[in-house]
Amino acid sequence: MASVDDHRRRTTDLPPATTEYFAPELATIDGYLETVPPAIDPAAGDAAVGPIHGLPWFYIADLTGWRGSTLARLLAAEQDCRCYELSAGAADALPALWSVIDESDDGPVVLHLELQGEGGRIPRTLQEALRRGYTHTPDGWDEPVSGEPSNLHVVFTDTNPSKRLAAPLPAATTPTTGAVLSYAPRRSMLPERPDGTTMLPDPPALRDREAELEQFLLAALDGYGDDDARQQYVDRAVEILSITHSLIGKRDLLFDVSPRLALKYGGLLDQISVGAATDRLGRDVLGQVPQSPGSEDIRATLRDLLPE
C-alpha cells in the first residue's frame, strides 16, 4: 500500500502553552486510551450503531476545526507518532485513508477527519472496513489493507454540529465505542445523545475571555520577536478579534475562532514588522466579515484599526 502523501501530515511540535491549555482535554483522552485493549477484533460489535464501532475515536463539536486539529496534533505528540489530516470532500481521500489504516499496523497513528455532511464517504468506508475486517480490498485496489484498529486514533471535527448528529456516533461507554469530547460553547451544538460528553463550562464574560486569549497568545508566541513587539502585536490582535466577534454577536466564540489566525501571523514577527503582522491579521479577519449593508460598520471599524 502506498504511503500517505506528505501534504496530509501535520506537525506535532506545538508551543508548550498549547499543551498546558489543553491539559484537561488531554487527560480525558489519556484516561480513555488506557481502557483500549492492545488489539481489537474488527469483526466484533454492531456496525449499525455508528460509523466507527471498533476504533479509539473522538468526536469534537467545533466551530473552526482549530481545537480538533490541535488536539489531534497534541495526541500524536504524546503517542510519538504521525498525525494526518483528511477531508471527506477531497477527491483522493479514500486511497489516503486506506494508507493511514495500513500504517496503523506498525504502531499508533492519529487521523484528524473533518466531517462534511452526515455520515460522509470516509465514515461509511471506515464502517465497512470494520464490518468486513481490515483485510477487505476496496474496489480498484489490488492489495488488501492491513492494520491494527486499536492503533488508529481518529479525531472527528464537526464545524456544524447542532443538527449534524441526528443518528449520533456511539456513546462513550466501552473501549470499542469511542469518546465524545465536545468543546462547543453552546449547548445546542452538543450531540443529541451526549453520552460520555465532556463540555466546557458556559463562556466567561468578554473581559475574561479577552484576558484568556491574551495570556495564551503571549505564552504561545514566546520567542517570536522581542517582548515589546510581541506585546504590541497581541494587544492589537485581541482588540481586532474582540471587536469583530462583539459586533457580529458572537462574543462567546472569541477563543474558539481566534487563535489559529493570531498565531499564524504572530509567528512572522521575526520576519516582518508588528504593523505588517497586524495588517495581515486584520485583512484576513476582514475578509471573513459578510459584505452586506448591515456589516459596513464592522468593516469600517476594522479598517480604522489597521496600520496606515
Side-chain angles (χ1 to χ4, degrees):
M1 184 67 67
S3 60
V4 187
D5 293 336
D6 285 341
H7 74 275
R8 300 188 184 280
R9 186 172 178 179
R10 296 294 174 260
T11 60
T12 57
D13 54 342
L14 292 165
T18 307
T19 305
E20 293 173 9
Y21 183 81
F22 284 103
E25 291 80 5
L26 288 172
T28 300
I29 290 176
D30 289 341
Y32 167 70
L33 288 177
E34 289 177 0
T35 69
V36 176
I40 295 175
D41 180 4
D46 180 6
V49 299
I52 297 179
H53 72 284
L55 295 175
W57 57 260
F58 311 93
Y59 168 77
I60 298 176
D62 198 326
L63 296 169
T64 64
W66 180 77
R67 288 181 181 275
S69 62
T70 301
L71 275 169
R73 294 164 67 188
L74 290 172
L75 175 60
E78 280 198 344
Q79 298 286 321
D80 192 24
C81 67
R82 296 186 177 187
C83 179
Y84 298 105
E85 192 167 80
L86 294 180
S87 168
D92 59 345
L94 287 180
L97 169 64
W98 289 107
S99 298
V100 173
I101 293 176
D102 195 48
E103 188 170 315
S104 70
D105 201 33
D106 299 325
V109 58
V110 175
L111 170 63
H112 172 223
L113 172 60
E114 175 63 42
L115 290 174
Q116 297 189 14
E118 188 168 352
R121 296 174 66 213
I122 286 183
R124 285 200 300 269
T125 303
L126 278 170
Q127 181 178 3
E128 287 299 309
L130 288 163
R131 177 182 291 144
R132 304 183 189 185
Y134 268 37
T135 56
H136 166 60
T137 303
D139 294 338
W141 283 274
D142 296 326
E143 300 178 38
V145 174
S146 62
E148 173 46 58
S150 62
N151 284 335
L152 180 58
H153 307 324
V154 182
V155 177
F156 289 102
T157 295
D158 193 339
T159 56
N160 186 25
S162 58
K163 301 298 181 183
R164 178 69 54 80
L165 294 180
L169 298 172
T173 53
T174 70
T176 57
T177 56
V180 181
L181 302 177
S182 178
Y183 306 109
R186 295 173 179 157
R187 293 185 179 277
S188 65
M189 301 178 73
L190 289 175
E192 294 184 14
R193 301 178 193 171
D195 298 324
T197 296
T198 298
M199 185 179 68
L200 288 181
D202 292 334
L206 178 59
R207 187 178 300 276
D208 295 332
R209 206 65 160 157
E210 290 175 343
E212 180 186 22
L213 178 60
E214 179 181 0
Q215 293 168 7
F216 174 78
L217 292 177
L218 285 172
L221 291 173
D222 185 34
Y224 292 96
D226 57 44
D227 292 343
D228 290 341
R230 187 163 57 253
Q231 183 69 59
Q232 183 181 353
Y233 168 75
V234 169
D235 288 344
R236 296 295 299 278
V238 172
E239 184 181 16
I240 289 172
L241 293 163
S242 180
I243 287 176
T244 305
H245 296 310
S246 296
L247 291 176
I248 62 178
K250 295 184 177 180
R251 291 181 297 175
D252 55 334
L253 310 185
L254 180 61
F255 196 91
D256 301 271
V257 175
S258 303
R260 183 198 295 268
L261 282 176
L263 292 175
K264 175 182 177 181
Y265 296 109
L268 298 176
L269 285 175
D270 290 327
Q271 305 171 34
I272 60 178
S273 66
V274 173
T278 304
D279 179 72
R280 293 189 186 189
L281 170 64
R283 296 192 185 283
D284 209 336
V285 172
L286 188 64
Q288 299 179 34
V289 176
Q291 297 199 33
S292 64
S295 67
E296 185 52 40
D297 288 342
I298 303 177
R299 303 179 69 82
T301 301
L302 284 176
R303 291 191 195 100
D304 290 341
L305 290 172
L306 300 182
E308 293 292 337

